[in-house]
Amino acid sequence: MSSRSPSSSSVSSHSGSGQRAALESLRPVLKERLPPLNALRAFEVAARKLSFTAAAKELFVTPGAVSLHVKQLEDYLDVQLFVREVKRLRLTAEGERYLPLVSEAFSILRQATQGLRGRQVESVRLSVRPMLCHRWLLERLPALMDALPFCHLEIETELDRDPERQDLLLDYQPGVGAEVCSHELFRSDIVPVCSPGYLKALGLKKIAAQSDWSRLRLLHDRPLQGMADYPGWSSCLQGLGVQEQVLGGSASFANSLMCIEAARLGLGLALAPRYLVEQDLQAGRLVAPLSLSEAALPAPQIYYLSYRKSVLEKPFVRQLLAQLLPS
């Protein structure tokens, strides 16, 4: 037999209805509270990138975490912000209206924080190969400096591979060490290049395995020659079936930038990453007189961005990584 009396059941029912009434009375107050900040941030970045994966890279979390935060925000607002399609993300009309307001709110927060800190400038040190700096980084600097107005960038081209002495390293080799992370920036085929004037002076339109290589001057990039996987002139000539003994004069340089500049000035034939000389090729300042298939060059050159895990504590480093790494 149950020990509960009708009166106790009535009291319990009355208590439950009272709790529900209390919660209902609080609902307008709860609706006025801000959504979770992490959820708002995940939405703002995902909406800008239109990709949970790209947003995850900027926020240094997993795509699943971004998706979970966005779903949390949608549940909180009781509004669908994204249309999730196969390999594609699209904002709903509500999401498009919400994005500029949320972005503006984060901008105001950043400005307020910088104001409290007296607009303190923080430094980030980048160590980068001269060629990579001149042909890849410099054209990205305007956008970087606009995105990080209170960041002082210390750019060093006398490459220092000690991870303790720089925040970011841009190089054609990954960083070394258990606490070092390396991300691929890009990869590029290696192509022989020279100036149009150099070819004209030789009376040639193209260079082939059957050409008189004793008339050609080869330009060497000294730092890269010591790398086992770098496609230097020896491997290129071997692929062409050309004996190195038949070669005439040559010159070597301390870095890739000097080597390519020498080729542009008509001093000889150099090997260069196509990605970094594409503008010169399109403008006609350089030509590629030898086909890749004929040259039989090895695998493309890969360039990396490396950093110690501890530098992620610097907000500007995290923002720079988001700007520099491919989406």
Side-chain angles (χ1 to χ4, degrees):
M1 178 181 292
S2 173
S3 61
R4 294 180 61 187
S5 65
S7 60
S8 65
S9 175
S10 175
V11 169
S12 175
S13 174
H14 178 74
S15 174
S17 62
Q19 290 174 350
R20 285 194 297 272
L23 285 173
E24 287 298 326
S25 69
L26 283 174
R27 193 172 299 280
V29 177
L30 293 173
K31 285 295 184 181
E32 290 179 3
R33 291 175 55 189
L34 286 174
L37 190 60
N38 284 339
L40 283 170
R41 186 62 177 144
F43 162 73
E44 195 271 338
V45 180
R48 279 194 285 107
K49 302 279 189 179
L50 288 180
S51 165
F52 288 157
T53 301
K57 287 184 179 180
E58 180 167 332
L59 296 171
F60 293 95
V61 297
T62 64
V66 174
S67 178
L68 189 64
H69 281 313
V70 170
K71 183 65 170 62
Q72 181 185 16
L73 180 62
E74 289 178 323
D75 289 344
Y76 184 92
L77 299 173
D78 196 21
V79 169
Q80 185 177 352
L81 299 170
F82 289 100
V83 177
R84 295 155 175 84
E85 301 174 345
V86 179
K87 296 184 179 181
R88 185 184 174 196
L89 201 61
R90 181 164 52 86
L91 282 167
T92 62
E94 291 81 4
E96 289 181 351
R97 289 199 302 268
Y98 199 38
L99 174 59
L101 299 173
V102 174
S103 296
E104 183 181 2
F106 276 110
S107 177
I108 291 170
L109 282 172
R110 281 192 293 269
Q111 292 172 18
T113 302
Q114 290 159 356
L116 283 175
R117 297 168 63 191
R119 296 197 171 188
Q120 179 182 353
V121 174
E122 293 184 8
S123 295
V124 177
R125 187 167 187 258
L126 286 81
S127 190
V128 54
R129 292 279 174 185
M131 180 74 165
L132 194 55
C133 180
H134 185 73
R135 298 300 181 97
W136 187 86
L137 181 61
L138 286 182
E139 67 183 32
R140 287 163 173 78
L141 276 184
L144 291 177
M145 297 176 81
D146 284 345
L148 293 88
F150 300 105
C151 177
H152 173 66
L153 296 174
E154 297 182 17
I155 300 172
E156 301 286 345
T157 56
E158 293 183 3
L159 199 72
D160 185 349
R161 292 189 55 81
D162 185 342
E164 296 296 327
R165 289 200 287 264
Q166 76 270 321
D167 296 309
L168 300 175
L169 170 67
L170 286 77
D171 194 13
Y172 47 67
Q173 298 180 84
V176 178
E179 293 299 310
V180 175
C181 298
S182 294
H183 297 273
E184 182 179 316
L185 280 176
F186 63 89
R187 58 182 62 206
S188 176
D189 293 328
I190 304 299
V191 293
V193 296
C194 64
S195 72
Y198 180 71
L199 275 186
K200 186 177 181 180
L202 293 171
L204 299 172
K205 292 184 178 179
K206 284 286 184 180
I207 296 175
Q210 297 76 26
S211 299
D212 183 1
W213 283 78
S214 65
R215 300 174 59 205
L216 301 177
R217 183 181 294 111
L218 301 186
L219 307 177
H220 299 270
D221 185 339
R222 280 202 304 271
L224 294 180
Q225 284 179 343
M227 292 178 58
D229 58 347
Y230 178 72
W233 275 116
S234 293
S235 57
C236 179
L237 295 172
Q238 185 178 4
L240 289 165
V242 175
Q243 300 296 318
E244 290 192 52
Q245 292 83 349
V246 306
L247 298 178
S250 62
S252 64
F253 300 87
N255 59 60
S256 304
L257 186 60
M258 294 170 61
C259 189
I260 302 308
E261 183 63 13
R264 194 181 67 81
L265 293 174
L267 300 184
L269 195 64
L271 292 173
R274 179 183 287 276
Y275 184 86
L276 297 180
V277 296
E278 192 62 48
Q279 290 185 1
D280 285 324
L281 291 170
Q282 291 179 2
R285 293 185 292 268
L286 290 172
V287 293
L290 209 65
S291 70
L292 279 177
S293 58
E294 188 175 19
L297 292 170
Q301 187 71 45
I302 304 174
Y303 290 82
Y304 298 90
L305 190 157
S306 304
Y307 56 89
R308 288 169 290 120
K309 293 178 183 177
S310 59
V311 303
L312 294 178
E313 297 173 4
K314 295 184 177 182
F316 284 148
V317 169
R318 295 198 301 271
Q319 293 176 53
L320 271 171
L321 287 172
Q323 294 284 329
L324 290 173
L325 291 175
S327 299

